């Protein structure tokens, strides 16, 4: 897990570098709604799991384990959607879904932070709340992505705002830089999915008065 190279005086892990390249590919693939999003995400998560264990970042390590499980769920869900007559349809979350997602984010962050604080074996020495927020937020974003909810892009934006400083502080410099790039790509993905949803809705709306 320590295999890597020196760059500007810092040791760069191959697992961190390649895992983040695959993570960038996941964002690009998600924009295009291809089912290859999920196996690529699983592969990247396994590599980043190794990098996180090496850097002693348990929140991120647990997140990668969860990503592997969610990748399987997402792969199945998107495959079924792609095989349907209408294809995989993206949509914004309902008010109820948004309330549930925000409630899970808030309550989940508290619960996981308490676990990090009191579970000494996790060794969360710096900002257990930030680690908990990233863990829960990433899980919710990935679940929302598997449901083809446009809102998942917004959740990723909120996660990135905390993920960038945490990654740099933990010595995962590639991850920190990639998180910054993620933010830009997420903005593009959000605009693309929202534009697709609006175009489909406009096509379904009647253009004029309906006559008998």
């Amino acid at each position: 897990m320590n295999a890597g190279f020196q760059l500007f005086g810092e040791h760069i892990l191959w697992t961190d570098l390649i895992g983040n390249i695959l993570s960038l590919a996941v964002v690009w693939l998600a924009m295009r709604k291809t089912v290859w999003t999920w196996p690529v995400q699983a592969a990247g998560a396994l590599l980043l799991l190794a990098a996180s264990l090496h850097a002693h970042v348990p929140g991120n390590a647990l997140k990668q384990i969860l990503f592997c499980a969610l990748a399987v769920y997402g792969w199945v869900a998107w495959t079924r959607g792609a095989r349907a007559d209408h294809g995989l349809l993206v949509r914004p979350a309902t008010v109820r879904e948004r309330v549930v997602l925000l409630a899970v984010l808030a309550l989940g962050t508290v619960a996981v932070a308490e676990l990090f604080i009191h579970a000494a074996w996790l060794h969360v020495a710096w900002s257990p709340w930030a680690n908990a927020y990233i863990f829960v937020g990433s899980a919710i974003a990935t679940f929302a992505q598997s449901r083809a909810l446009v809102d998942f892009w917004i959740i990723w934006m909120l996660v990135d705002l905390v993920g960038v400083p945490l990654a740099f502080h933990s010595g995962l410099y590639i991850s920190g830089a990639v998180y910054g790039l993620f933010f830009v790509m997420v903005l593009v993905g959000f605009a693309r999915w929202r534009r697709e949803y609006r175009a489909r809705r406009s096509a379904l709306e009647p253009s004029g008065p309906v006559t008998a």
Side-chain angles (χ1 to χ4, degrees):
M1 291 192 296
N2 190 46
F5 58 94
Q6 293 297 121
L7 181 65
F8 302 120
E10 300 293 343
H11 184 67
I12 306 299
L13 299 173
W14 282 114
T15 51
D16 190 29
L17 176 61
I18 300 174
N20 277 294
I21 290 175
L22 293 180
S23 295
L24 286 173
V26 167
V27 180
W28 184 81
L29 292 169
M31 291 182 194
R32 287 150 180 78
K33 300 189 307 175
T34 169
V35 294
W36 282 103
T37 300
W38 301 103
V40 172
Q41 178 168 312
L46 289 173
L47 289 171
L48 291 176
L49 170 62
S52 299
L53 291 174
H54 179 271
H56 305 292
V57 187
N60 199 53
L62 291 174
K63 180 181 70 176
Q64 303 308 328
I65 295 174
L66 184 59
F67 275 179
C68 290
L70 288 172
V72 175
Y73 174 77
W75 197 353
V76 173
W78 278 31
T79 299
R80 288 176 178 173
R83 289 175 178 172
D85 293 337
H86 48 66
L88 182 65
L89 299 180
V90 300
R91 64 175 179 85
T94 63
V95 173
R96 180 179 180 180
E97 287 173 328
R98 288 172 179 168
V99 170
V100 171
L101 291 175
L102 290 175
V104 173
L105 176 60
L107 297 176
T109 298
V110 172
V112 174
E114 287 295 316
L115 173 64
F116 287 167
I117 291 171
H118 295 98
W121 61 273
L122 288 173
H123 304 293
V124 184
W126 181 78
S127 193
W129 287 94
N131 276 284
Y133 172 79
I134 291 173
F135 173 72
V136 177
S138 299
I140 293 174
T142 305
F143 174 77
Q145 176 185 341
S146 71
R147 305 292 293 177
L149 299 180
V150 177
D151 304 64
F152 99 87
W153 296 104
I154 299 176
I155 301 173
W156 272 125
M157 295 179 204
L158 299 176
V159 170
D160 285 345
L161 292 176
V162 177
V164 173
L166 180 64
F168 279 114
H169 181 87
S170 303
L172 298 176
Y173 303 101
I174 296 297
S175 291
V178 169
Y179 276 135
L181 184 55
F182 270 165
F183 191 82
V184 177
M185 296 181 68
V186 165
L187 289 174
V188 175
F190 173 66
R192 181 167 181 164
W193 275 36
R194 185 173 62 173
R195 184 167 57 249
E196 177 182 332
Y197 168 74
R198 288 180 173 178
R200 188 178 76 249
R201 186 179 62 179
S202 298
L204 293 175
E205 292 177 348
S207 57
V210 178
T211 59

